[in-house]
Amino acid sequence: MTTAAVRVLLADDEPLFRGTVSRLVDATPGLAVAGEAGTGRAAVALAAARRPDVVVMDVRMPDLDGIAATARITAVADPPRVLVLTAFDLDDHVYRALRAGASGFVFKDITPPRLVNAIRTVAAGESLLAPSVTRRLIAGHVPRLPRRRLDGVTPREHEVLALVTRGLSNDEIEATLHISRGTLKTHIGSLLAKLAARDRAQLVIAGYEAGLADP
């Protein structure tokens, strides 16, 4: 049985960069280009028309910036995953992109193998967030917000959320709590539903907002 290729929409206003990534994606087994967009508004329209699995989205886009485009793309039922590209280490941009529904972010100077891995990671439903960077990003913004309540979250789910917030992998969480992968997936699925989170990246933000990363 042949597994369907991950369909990738590329959104970047630089034709040369977009073309380079397009050739990389098409040359990679298991990936296929679903379309290319040079503006944020075009990316939103193409995402609705082509229904890609992953959108690789530049933050700085003409007509409609990448963050606003991400929010529109992820607002629909069963949205694609969005991997944000940024050329600058700007915390505010990346944090707002995550709040808008992005599943992760990478810098535009990323190597081709790592970009391919990043696309596959978000396509598989995981978030792409380096714990050290994420802590810095979110810690700089969450204190401005009211403390979030975790209504309906069980004590065990609270423990899982705290470890997710700290950036632990599934293997590390299983070892820490002495639970199976199936049990962990059940807890994470329940947390996603209770906290109205799209993915693991959104759970990390929820954990920070609830104070689970406080010393």
Side-chain angles (χ1 to χ4, degrees), residues 149-194:
R149 294 170 57 88
L150 298 177
D151 295 331
V153 172
T154 68
R156 184 55 120 183
E157 290 167 353
H158 192 280
E159 290 178 313
V160 169
L161 181 59
L163 296 178
V164 168
T165 302
R166 286 170 46 196
L168 272 66
S169 67
N170 283 349
D171 288 341
E172 291 169 330
I173 295 173
E174 291 163 24
T176 300
L177 299 180
H178 306 290
I179 57 177
S180 69
R181 178 60 57 93
T183 299
L184 176 58
K185 286 185 175 180
T186 297
H187 288 318
I188 289 178
S190 179
L191 285 167
L192 289 170
K194 290 178 179 179

Side-chain angles (χ1 to χ4, degrees), residues 3-161:
T3 303
V6 173
R7 301 176 66 252
V8 183
L9 172 62
L10 306 173
D12 193 286
D13 66 335
E14 298 177 18
L16 180 60
F17 180 83
R18 197 171 64 241
T20 299
V21 177
S22 178
R23 290 189 293 274
L24 170 67
V25 169
D26 268 340
T28 301
L31 302 183
V33 174
E36 298 182 31
T39 70
R41 203 170 300 279
V44 174
L46 274 177
R50 306 282 177 85
R51 303 293 295 170
D53 301 299
V54 175
V55 178
V56 178
M57 175 73 72
D58 188 15
V59 168
R60 293 191 170 183
M61 295 282 281
D63 194 17
L64 184 71
D65 70 56
I67 295 170
T70 294
R72 294 189 188 186
I73 288 171
T74 59
V76 302
D78 192 25
R81 303 283 175 173
V82 178
L83 177 65
V84 170
L85 284 171
T86 178
F88 305 98
D89 189 3
L90 299 176
D91 291 358
D92 185 59
H93 282 180
V94 178
Y95 179 74
R96 289 192 294 120
L98 294 175
R99 290 286 297 174
S103 295
F105 64 91
V106 293
F107 295 110
K108 292 186 77 169
D109 61 358
I110 190 172
T111 63
R114 291 186 65 187
L115 178 57
V116 167
N117 184 63
I119 292 171
R120 287 175 169 156
T121 296
V122 297
E126 298 290 332
S127 59
L128 193 73
L129 302 168
S132 60
V133 177
T134 304
R135 279 194 291 270
R136 190 193 77 222
L137 290 172
I138 300 178
H141 295 271
V142 168
R144 307 174 192 173
L145 305 173
R147 181 58 56 90
R148 179 168 184 165
R149 294 170 57 88
L150 298 177
D151 295 331
V153 172
T154 68
R156 184 55 120 183
E157 290 167 353
H158 192 280
E159 290 178 313
V160 169
L161 181 59

